[in-house]
Amino acid sequence: MTKIVADQAAFSKASGTNDSDSAGSVSNIRQITFGDLLREAVLESGDRLAMVDGVADPAQRRRWTYNALLEQAEPVARALLARFQTGAQIALCSPNCPEWVIFEFGTAIAGMVLVPVNPAYREAELAMVLQDSEAAALFHSDSWRGSNIAEIATSVRDTAIPNLVLVSLSTWDEFLVSGEV
């Protein structure tokens, strides 16, 4: 499980809120994108720890500063923009992992809408979410807990959504290169 490190001071300053504000108060709601919020956190606390990969073995835990998150999210945004229009709905079917968070920031920076999809979904559920959201693409893990997500996704595309673009996360590096100019 991926954990976001709670740097309350940095996040509060970047988001324009503080602990004394009442929850849900109109005065503490800012008109800012998720990508812009990351950029503000970079300006305020770029070298501070932002995310830790929550794998069981502490020696295997990868770590990201706010700077590193932005540095990895921007190529995702460029690759998305090379393939899809701003405003497109982009689905992601994957278990929790650091790349999920990076992808989420990348879609926000690109001005696209992330459609999170439960990796336990079978064909009918996946088809319904993708059709209802009008997703242009489905980025997916190949498998999860014995379920062949790649096979399910291909079946949904072939039988229900022929224009759906499928991108396996196993081709992540190739996807990122597609955004290089």
Side-chain angles (χ1 to χ4, degrees), residues 8 49-50 52 61 82-83 109 117 141 145 147 149 151 155:
Q8 189 61 43
L49 185 62
V52 176
R61 293 181 182 158
R83 293 178 172 214
I109 291 168
V117 178
S141 296
R145 294 187 177 174
S147 178
I149 298 172
E151 185 177 282
S155 176

Side-chain angles (χ1 to χ4, degrees), residues 31-63:
Q31 298 297 317
I32 186 169
T33 68
F34 196 51
D36 288 340
L37 186 61
L38 175 59
R39 286 189 175 106
E40 285 188 11
V42 165
L43 291 174
E44 296 294 327
S45 303
D47 292 328
R48 294 197 63 169
L49 185 62
M51 181 173 67
V52 176
D53 188 358
V55 296
D57 181 358
Q60 299 296 316
R61 293 181 182 158
R62 298 175 291 164
R63 291 167 164 64

Side-chain angles (χ1 to χ4, degrees), residues 14 58 73 84:
F84 308 102

Side-chain angles (χ1 to χ4, degrees), residues 3 30 44-45 49 53 71 101 111 113-114 126 162:
K3 296 186 181 204
R30 294 179 60 208
E44 296 294 327
S45 303
L49 185 62
D53 188 358
E71 287 169 9
V101 175
V113 178
L114 178 65
L126 179 60

